[in-house]
């Protein structure tokens, strides 16, 4: 038996899933994925760009699902523990995380599953589809910024049976958002060093976020 195989048999494989619109993916996303991987002792993180995000107005999604997927692919290049799954991009409809996770479990090897989100997003968990069932499928990792007030998650405790499956992890968060990046491009400002170089080149080459809405981004939930 080779060493890796033995290690695999002895230790449960802990896999992180990071879902998002990634319009575009930026260094804030990559930083929390990397730090959560350390803190939660994950062996890998699978990025799952949404096709049609269920929680966002269709008109607010600027780049096509394919372009957002390709940017995530460019962003994870060079990190052997990061990968990208196209399941939601190919779905052709809005998919909820509670539907996506079982598909990912079929497509990837893993024993324990974790879903990575920003803590602000977790505080909206009651608006997600079947949050308690989702918490049976995954441990929800809420990436907080230093000094984040955890009492913002308190209201979930009363509502969720599986509240104890939400796990805050403090990350050195960067104050970057995709909204801010899109706005800067529109204003002709630089986004260099807010996104990985490959993503920067992709946005520049394809002239993304310069004003035109991609025709694919017209779906509704
Ligand atoms: P937008 O500004 O368009 O709403 P976003 O930058 O928040 O986009 P998403 O793709 O919607 O990016 O985010 C995916 C996940 O990453 C969410 O759970 C969000 O909370 C988290 N996230 C986004 N930006 C950061 C950041 N700078 N630090 C930590 N978490 C972040």
């Amino acid at each position: 038996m080779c060493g890796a195989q033995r290690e695999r048999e002895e230790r449960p494989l802990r896999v992180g899933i990071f879902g998002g619109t990634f319009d575009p993916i930026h260094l804030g996303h990559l930083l929390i994925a990397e730090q959560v991987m350390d803190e939660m002792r994950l062996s890998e993180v699978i990025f799952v760009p949404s096709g049609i995000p269920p929680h966002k107005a269709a008109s607010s999604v600027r780049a096509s699902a394919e372009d957002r997927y390709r940017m995530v692919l460019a962003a994870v290049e060079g990190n052997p523990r990061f990968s990208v799954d196209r399941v939601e991009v190919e779905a052709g409809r809005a998919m909820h995380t509670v539907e996506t996770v079982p598909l990912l479990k079929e497509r990837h090897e893993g024993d324990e599953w974790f879903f990575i989100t920003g803590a602000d997003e977790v505080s909206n968990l009651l608006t997600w589809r079947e949050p308690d069932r989702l918490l049976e499928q995954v441990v929800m990792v809420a990436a907080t910024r230093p000094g984040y007030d955890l009492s913002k998650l308190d209201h979930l405790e009363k509502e969720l049976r599986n509240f104890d499956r939400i796990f805050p992890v403090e990350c050195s968060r960067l104050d970057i958002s995709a909204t801010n990046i899109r706005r800067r491009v529109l204003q002709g400002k630089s986004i260099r060093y807010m996104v990985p170089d490959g993503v920067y080149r992709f946005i520049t080459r394809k002239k993304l976020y310069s004003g035109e809405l991609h025709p694919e981004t017209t779906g509704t939930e």
Side-chain angles (χ1 to χ4, degrees), residues 18-24 26 28-29 32 56 116-121 143 173-180 182:
F18 192 1
T21 313
F22 302 128
D23 189 23
H26 52 70
H29 295 129
I32 68 168
K56 288 190 179 172
I116 303 169
T117 54
D120 300 329
E121 186 85 28
R173 177 165 160 156
L174 286 174
D175 194 7
I176 298 177
S177 71
T179 304
N180 184 234
R182 295 192 301 271

Side-chain angles (χ1 to χ4, degrees), residues 199-212:
V199 175
Y200 176 73
R201 284 196 300 273
F202 189 91
I203 291 172
T204 310
R205 183 163 49 80
K206 294 206 73 175
K207 299 189 174 58
L208 296 183
Y209 310 119
S210 53
E212 277 171 42

